[in-house]
C-alpha cells in the first residue's frame, strides 16, 4: 500500500451476520461518494471456489491457496468468479456456513488481507465485515460496531432470502445465526469483537435509514 493510500479515510463497520452492515455500508458509501468493501463477499467467494473445487472446509492449506488465487471482479454491485456471475450464488446459506468455517483459518485470513487493503482508494472507503476496525484497517478514523438482537437479524435474513427466491425457515435460520455468531466470536484468529475505539450502534429497533443517519452523524462529528 502506498503512503497516500494509507491516508485515505476509512469507515469500518463490523458486526455479526445479518446485522444490516452490508446495506448500511452501501448507503453510507453512496452518500459520501466513496467506494465500499464487502469483506464477507471475499470469504464467501473463497468458500464457493472451495466447494466447486472439492476442497473440504477443514483443509486450511488448500483453502488458503484458493483464497490467494481467487480470480474475482466487483463490477457495479455484480460479483464475478472466473468470469461467472456469482452475485446471488454466494449469498446462499450453505456458502455462508462454509465461509464462516474457513474464515477461522489464519492462513485464509492472511491470504485475503492485502486484497482487502487494496480497496483503500481515494476519496474514501466504507468497509464492512468482522475485523475491519481491529485488523484490516486499525487506523480507520471511524469504527462502528453494528449489533442487533438475534430474532431481528433472523427475520431480516429470512426476508432477504425469500425476496431472492431462496427457501428460508425462521427457526433454522435463528439456530444457524447463533452457531455462526458463536464461531465468529470465539475463533482465535481475528474474532468478531468490537475495537476498543469503536462506537456501538444497536439497530434492532432502527430502520436502515435511521442506522445510516446515525453512522453519517458520527462521521460528521468525528471531524476526520
Ligand atoms: O458478512 P457475511 O455473512 O457475508 O460473511 C460471511 C462469513 O465470512 C462470516 O460468517 C464470517 C466471515 N467473515 C470474516 O470472518 N471476516 C470478515 N471481515 C468478513 C466475513
Amino acid at each position: 500500500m502506498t503512503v497516500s493510500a494509507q491516508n485515505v479515510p476509512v469507515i469500518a463497520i463490523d458486526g455479526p451476520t445479518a446485522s444490516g452492515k452490508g446495506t448500511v455500508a452501501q448507503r453510507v458509501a453512496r452518500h459520501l461518494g466513496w467506494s465500499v468493501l464487502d469483506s464477507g463477499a471475499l470469504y464467501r467467494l473463497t468458500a464457493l471456489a472451495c466447494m466447486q473445487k472439492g476442497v473440504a472446509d477443514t483443509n486450511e492449506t488448500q483453502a488458503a491457496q484458493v483464497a490467494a488465487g481467487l480470480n474475482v471482479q466487483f463490477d457495479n454491485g455484480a460479483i464475478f468468479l472466473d468470469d461467472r456471475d456469482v452475485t446471488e450464488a454466494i449469498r446462499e446459506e450453505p456458502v455462508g456456513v462454509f465461509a464462516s468455517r474457513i474464515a477461522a483459518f489464519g492462513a485464509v485470513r492472511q491470504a485475503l488481507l492485502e486484497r482487502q487493503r487494496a480497496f483503500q482508494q481515494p476519496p474514501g472507503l466504507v468497509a464492512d465485515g468482522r475485523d475491519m476496525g481491529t485488523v484490516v484497517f486499525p487506523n480507520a478514523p471511524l469504527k462502528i460496531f453494528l449489533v442487533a438482537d438475534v430474532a431481528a437479524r433472523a427475520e431480516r435474513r429470512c426476508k432477504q432470502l425469500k425476496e431472492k427466491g431462496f427457501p428460508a425457515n425462521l427457526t433454522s435460520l435463528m439456530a444457524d445465526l447463533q452457531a455462526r455468531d458463536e464461531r465468529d466470536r470465539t475463533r482465535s484468529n481475528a474474532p468478531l469483537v468490537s475495537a476498543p475505539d469503536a462506537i456501538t450502534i444497536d439497530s434492532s429497533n432502527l430502520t436502515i435509514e435511521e442506522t445510516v443517519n446515525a453512522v453519517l452523524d458520527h462521521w460528521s462529528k468525528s471531524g476526520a
Side-chain angles (χ1 to χ4, degrees):
M1 200 187 331
T2 63
V3 172
S4 60
Q6 277 176 352
N7 293 331
V8 171
V10 175
I11 297 178
I13 305 182
D14 290 305
T17 197
S19 58
K21 300 179 307 286
T23 312
V24 170
Q26 296 278 0
R27 297 207 191 172
V28 169
R30 200 183 312 145
H31 182 92
L32 295 170
W34 293 5
S35 50
V36 70
L37 164 63
D38 170 4
S39 62
L42 289 172
Y43 288 91
R44 287 172 179 269
L45 283 157
T46 306
L48 184 64
C50 284
M51 290 161 99
Q52 287 170 350
K53 291 175 200 285
V55 171
D57 61 11
T58 47
N59 192 329
E60 175 165 5
T61 309
Q62 281 188 15
Q65 279 165 1
V66 171
L70 277 184
N71 170 18
V72 301
Q73 272 98 43
F74 292 87
D75 185 10
N76 257 327
I79 302 177
F80 295 86
L81 176 63
D82 292 328
D83 298 326
R84 199 165 65 82
D85 187 343
V86 294
T87 318
E88 299 295 325
I90 60 163
R91 301 294 159 199
E92 293 192 36
E93 276 309 286
V95 179
V97 172
F98 196 115
S100 165
R101 296 211 169 104
I102 55 164
F105 294 140
V108 170
R109 306 199 71 83
Q110 191 57 39
L112 294 176
L113 194 56
E114 287 311 315
R115 210 186 268 267
Q116 294 174 81
R117 289 187 174 153
F119 280 77
Q120 190 175 6
Q121 295 294 333
L125 175 69
V126 183
D128 94 71
R130 305 293 187 290
D131 60 343
M132 298 297 97
T134 50
V135 176
V136 183
F137 302 109
N139 298 323
L142 178 63
K143 299 176 185 177
I144 301 290
F145 198 65
L146 189 60
V147 298
D149 61 49
V150 71
R153 291 187 286 127
E155 269 169 38
R156 282 180 201 160
R157 178 55 57 88
C158 197
K159 195 164 159 257
Q160 256 174 16
L161 288 169
K162 282 185 176 160
E163 277 168 5
K164 289 182 178 160
F166 295 128
N169 168 287
L170 195 59
T171 316
S172 71
L173 266 177
M174 202 133 115
D176 195 48
L177 288 190
Q178 273 163 329
R180 194 147 12 140
D181 284 354
E182 181 65 12
R183 199 158 44 231
D184 291 348
R185 283 200 177 105
T186 55
R187 67 185 179 210
S188 53
N189 292 307
L192 169 64
V193 286
S194 170
D197 51 346
I199 295 164
T200 296
I201 298 177
D202 186 335
S203 73
S204 308
N205 298 309
L206 298 181
T207 63
I208 294 281
E209 203 181 353
E210 287 167 334
T211 314
V212 169
N213 288 338
V215 176
L216 290 171
D217 217 37
H218 284 298
W219 175 245
S220 48
K221 283 189 197 135
S222 74

